[in-house]
Structure formats: structure tokens, C-alpha cells
Amino acid sequence: MRVRKWLLVLAVFSLVVAACGDDDDAVDTTTAPTTTVAPTTTEAGGLQTIKAGVLTVGSDVPFPPFEDFDASGNVIGFDADLVNELASRLGLEVEWIDTDFDTIFTQLATGRFDLVASATTITPERALQVNFTDPYYKAQQALTINTDATPNIGSYMDLGEGDSVAAQTGTTGLDWAIENLAPNGVEVREFPAAPDTYNALEGGLVTGVIFDEPSAVEEAANRPGLVVIQAIDTNEDYGFGVDPNNAELLTALNGAFADMLADGTYQSIYDAAFTAPAGSVLYVAPEITTTTVAAIAPLVIWADETRTSVLEPIAAAFTEATGVPVEIQLKGFGDIRGDSVQQAPLGEAADVFIGAHDWIGELASNGIIEPVDLGARADEFFPVALDAFSYEGSVYGLPYAVEAIGLYRNVDLVPDAPVTFEDLLAVCEGLGDTVTQCLATPSGDAFHHYPFLASTGGYIFAYDAATGYDPTDVGLDNDGAIEGFTFLDSLVKDGTLDPAVDYGTMTTLFHEGQAAFMWTGPWALPDVQAAGINYAVSPLPDINGQDAAPFVGVQGFFVNAFSEQKALAQTFVLDFVATEEVMVALYEVGLRAPAHIAAFNQVADDPDVQAFGESASAGNPMPNIPEMSSVWDNFGGAVAAIYDQSADPATALGTAAIAVREAVAG
């Protein structure tokens, strides 16, 4: 069911209050009409509309993905695309009026609009007040929770006495919650606007939010910690409200919509707005039977462009062996984590997806990924990789690559690898102005600067081999951390490290021979080799007399815990991916050291593998516990403060440590 205002309107509201000094009740967010008298209906193109040749549309904007504003203030979204197409077919232009949802049907019934397009559920009560077009969207509700506060809630069936949910006043989500949750002792709290419900959830005032599924997914994607954990089938349909005194317009709209359904225009607009098929009014759920499931349900894999080329022949072999088709969907590596959290509970995520080990705490605690039983196969993998993929006693996924940053050098400029940072600085002094930047690394990036924290005794969370990470013991601001960042601060002050160098600048400088050293990981190897640079890789140089300790990352394959084909997914991962041949092939496209021992031995003579492996051997695995989500921004802020010289090392790290401790404590 449709709601009123979102963050953009809140921002406008704040400006109005600041300018006028009125209280909340004095602010009218409804667009003022040009006259206080209902306009006279005029006739154009055979249709009667309020303005000749114009379809006047009332909507409560924004409400993505149905209605929103673009940068120029134009109304866009699924509803807007449908309305614009309908109006075009009827020979009408469209004029949008942004208004409050709670009075939108009264305004329609009294002649202010020809049409309401505002993601509106068709209900018997509303149909008594206005006419509705034929349905254009099959809607359902969703339950959103705050995983930082209630990670153990898996569905609305887990809610009971002592819990509370928020819903917007006047919505079908509120009606559903009152009817289905209140009898179980759940307190149902009403809020006047959609953002209020999510603000309450973030603030710990409620346990969950009941709201329309597409908009719930949009909202949760922009609020860390909030996750849509369940879609609730309430058998709702959206329709456009039509002036009850204009039956001819209703007939014309339904006729044009029927043509759009028949000629494919509707489905094209739908497919551009949504990935899940079930919301389309043309969608027919397939008949699921024992004889058809294996034949029609593909095993879906999410992989990035680099790994897709290796997985395609594996998928073909799997299909040949099992008769089950495999669909590999190309997805950016950076998008997979968030999409799996949001889409897996809704049944829309892949059965198998690639990812990094530091995601595991969040994904496992939210029930997104399934443990993988390697059995005797565990002996085929390096223990450090298995440890990285373990959480609370279980292995979650199949590790395949280990990575850590190292030191690239231009051999034409620097024939021998520096062992200590003093050696590196001496080389830079000797090169002088013959290079633009002697040492290049992405300024302000937490991952690349972890060695300056850890090499001298700093740490993120204390680690014990028997008990794992202790998120209550934060070492971001201990004496060792401050020592390492004091050294980093000196490198910025003397120009060895440049705040203006980002990742792209770094690689460009190195590829063009204008940087003697590049401080980054194996993912940069393909481009370095393509640039034709005479290069070599070595472990990071000692920092203040201590071995440099980079973060160690492990990548692998996860099985979706919500998949209806978990057994097939496990078979694909364990029997078709976990082979020496495939592990070597994955190394060849990504140049990351294999986690599979036999595959590693095959490529161990490669000097790059040796160098990055030696660097990793001195490093520390990134913590894979959920609390790690509080670290990246805060630690990155400390690094940025050193680069922009806005804080001394002790202050920068102290600020980061306090923020992490507060986040962990809740």
C-alpha cells in the first residue's frame, strides 16, 4: 500500500521550517491549487479532462521505484512510465501534481485530478470513493528488521509478546499487521510517513516494519543494518484511481492498457523497473511438479566478469552430468554482498555466488549462507583459507583464492627489492625528480593502510585461536597503532605519500613509468602485464623494524541458505568447482594464489605467486565477524585524517576507536 513522503520531502520540509519558523502542523506539503474552486471539465480529443488535451495526475512523490524525481524535477518511475505511455496513446499530455497521500482520493473525487498514480492498492473501501483501472501491479507486503538489534528473527512467525512493528497510517500494511500480528501480542504502532517507520526501526523503538515489498527493499538498501527478511503474500493489486465522474476516461484508459498488454509494451516497462517477475500482471506462476522441477528450474550462479569465463564450461559439464541447466548471471563483485542480503530472503538471489570471507559473519548471522561440509576434502585446502571461511564452528563456503597486498616495483628504475622502509626511502631519494611519485598507493583507503596499524602492534579486534575475535577488545588506538600511524604521518608530511593519489592515479603513474613503486594487490597484475612494464613484486618492506603485516583476504563460493536447490548447489561447488583443474583456471584469470594446495603447487614457481604468498604469510586475515561492518568507515576516516592533516595520529585513531567501541556496544 502506498505511503506519503520520503527523504527528499523530509529535506524540503526541513528547509521550509528553517525559512518560515512554523511548527510541523503549520506546514502544508500539498501543492497549492491555482484556484479554490474545482476546475471546469473541458473536452479534448474525444475525452473529457480537467484541462483540454492534458491528463492531470495526482501523486505522492517520491516513492521509488514507482514514483521519483530526476535531477531536473521530472517525475520518473514505473507508474510514471505507464502513465506517460497511456496518455500518449490517448493523445494527451501529462501534468503531475505532487500531493499528500492521505487526502489524494478526496482530491480526486472532488475534481482536482483526472487520475491518481501513486502505487495504490485497490480496496473495496477506496472503490466506493473513486473508480480504479484494471490492475497493473501485483503487490505484497514485507517485513524489515534491524539485524544489528534482532539478528535471530527470520520471519513474522518469530514475533510475539514484547515485540512491536511499525506501519504507516492508512496503509494495507497497517491493516495486515493489526489483523495478523496484534492477536499474537505484537504491538502495532502507527506512523504518519514511511521514513518515520524506518527511523523508528533504526532507533530501536520497534522490532520491525511492515511495508510494501519493492519500496521496503529500496529503503533497506540505503540504511545499513536494515534487511528485508520476508515477503508476505497479501494478494494485493495496484490500480490507477480515476475521477468517479469520468467513466469515458476510465474506459479509454483500460482499453489503452489492454493494448499495452497485448503488444508487449507493458512487459517491457515492467522489465526495465523490476528484476522479480511475479509483480507483473502477466506473470503466471509455473506448475511445480516432481517431473518438471529438474527440467525447468536452473541452478543460478552470480559471478563477476573475471570468473564467468571459467564457470561457463563447468556449468555445461554440470548440466550434462545432472540434466539441470545452469544460469550464470553477471554481477559486479561489489554488488553481490548487498544483493544477497536483500534478495535471498525473498527467494530472488542466486543459488551459488562468489564472495569474500569478511562477509561471512554478516551473512551467516542473518541466515543468508549455508554451511558447506567439506569432509575429508578439507585436507586439500590451506588451513588459513579454511579458518577465514569458518564462523562459530562451521565452514561457510568453498575458499579458492588467498590475497594480500605486496610491493610492485619498476625493475628498470629499481633493480633490487627494498627489504626495509629505510631502503625504499633511500631509493626514492636517489631517484629524485626523475619520477612523479616514487611510492604510489590509494590515499585514505583503509585496506591498503592496515599494515601501518598492525605491523607495530595495533589491531582491529583482539584474536585468540581458541575463542576467535573479541569485538569488545579494540586495538585501533593502542601504543603500537599510534607508533605505526606516526610513521605514516611522517611519510605524508615529507611527500613520500601524496593525498591526491587515488587507485586510478596510482595505476596510471605505475603503468607510465612515473611511479617507482606501487603498493597494492594481485588484482592489479593483469593491467600491469598488459601495460608492458618491466616489473617485479616483493613482500612489503619492514615498518619500523617490524615485518609488514597486511590484511589477508580469502575469496570463495557461497551456497544460498534460502535456495530451494541447496543439495544441487553443494554438488556444483564440491564436485565441479573444487578440483585442481578449476582452481588453476581461476588463478589464471584472476592471478590470486590458489587456496587449494595442489593447485597452488602447480603455479608456485610463478615469482608473483611467491611474492604475494610471502606477503600474506606475515599478514592477518580480515576479521569475518559482523562487528567488522563498524570498522571500515571509521578506520578509513582515521587514514583520511592523516592524509589531509586534520588530526594527529593519536587523535585520528582515538576517534575511530571510540566510534567502533560505541557501535559494538550498541
Side-chain angles (χ1 to χ4, degrees), residues 86 90 129 161 165 187 240 258 265 277 281 393 457 466 658:
L86 288 168
L90 298 180
Q129 190 177 13
E161 290 285 346
V165 297
E187 179 188 3
F240 296 125
T265 304
V281 294
I658 290 170

Side-chain angles (χ1 to χ4, degrees), residues 49 88 110 136 143 185 200 311-312 398 400 440 445 517 554 576:
T49 55
S88 174
T110 54
Y136 68 87
L143 170 63
L311 294 176
E312 285 172 343
L398 177 79
Y400 83 85
D445 178 73
F517 299 103
V554 181
F576 289 82

Side-chain angles (χ1 to χ4, degrees), residues 564-577:
E564 295 182 358
Q565 305 190 91
K566 284 186 284 190
L568 284 170
Q570 298 250 6
T571 298
F572 179 84
V573 168
L574 294 176
D575 295 345
F576 289 82
V577 175

Side-chain angles (χ1 to χ4, degrees), residues 388-660:
F389 261 64
S390 297
Y391 180 73
E392 295 188 344
S394 296
V395 176
Y396 283 90
L398 177 79
Y400 83 85
V402 180
E403 60 186 9
I405 61 175
L407 185 69
Y408 292 76
R409 72 181 187 278
N410 184 324
V411 176
D412 293 337
L413 299 173
V414 189
D416 300 317
V419 176
T420 68
F421 230 106
E422 288 72 23
D423 296 337
L424 184 149
L425 294 175
V427 170
C428 289
E429 185 176 357
L431 290 172
D433 294 336
T434 61
V435 291
T436 303
Q437 184 69 35
C438 185
L439 172 61
T441 194
S443 65
D445 178 73
F447 182 89
H448 282 80
H449 290 80
Y450 173 77
F452 293 101
L453 176 90
S455 303
T456 49
Y459 55 88
I460 305 294
F461 300 122
Y463 179 77
D464 181 272
T467 58
Y469 291 99
D470 179 2
T472 65
D473 186 347
V474 177
L476 285 170
D477 58 348
N478 69 10
D479 291 343
I482 294 171
E483 177 189 345
F485 262 51
T486 299
F487 180 63
L488 172 64
D489 185 59
S490 72
L491 298 176
V492 174
K493 281 183 165 67
D494 68 18
T496 302
L497 294 175
D498 184 356
V501 174
D502 57 16
Y503 188 88
T505 306
M506 172 191 72
T507 55
T508 298
L509 288 170
F510 192 75
H511 295 167
E512 295 179 353
Q514 288 302 307
F517 299 103
M518 181 169 69
W519 178 289
T520 193
W523 48 86
L525 277 170
D527 289 337
V528 170
Q529 293 171 351
I533 293 291
N534 183 16
Y535 79 96
V537 181
S538 59
L540 299 177
D542 292 352
I543 296 175
N544 281 9
Q546 305 296 321
D547 289 342
F551 263 143
V552 178
V554 181
Q555 294 190 359
F557 292 80
F558 297 119
V559 172
N560 178 1
F562 289 89
S563 168
E564 295 182 358
Q565 305 190 91
K566 284 186 284 190
L568 284 170
Q570 298 250 6
T571 298
F572 179 84
V573 168
L574 294 176
D575 295 345
F576 289 82
V577 175
T579 69
E580 183 177 342
E581 179 184 2
V582 171
M583 292 292 169
V584 170
L586 287 167
Y587 160 75
E588 289 172 344
V589 296
L591 299 180
R592 291 166 168 87
H596 188 270
I597 296 171
F600 179 88
N601 290 337
Q602 269 202 53
V603 301
D605 289 339
D606 185 324
D608 295 336
V609 172
Q610 294 175 7
F612 282 118
E614 188 176 344
S615 185
S617 68
N620 304 314
M622 284 183 289
N624 64 5
I625 58 177
E627 290 82 0
M628 191 64 187
S629 63
S630 68
V631 171
W632 291 113
D633 286 346
N634 292 306
F635 181 41
V639 175
I642 298 301
Y643 270 93
D644 63 25
Q645 295 288 286
S646 61
D648 60 75
T651 302
L653 289 169
T655 300
I658 290 170
V660 171

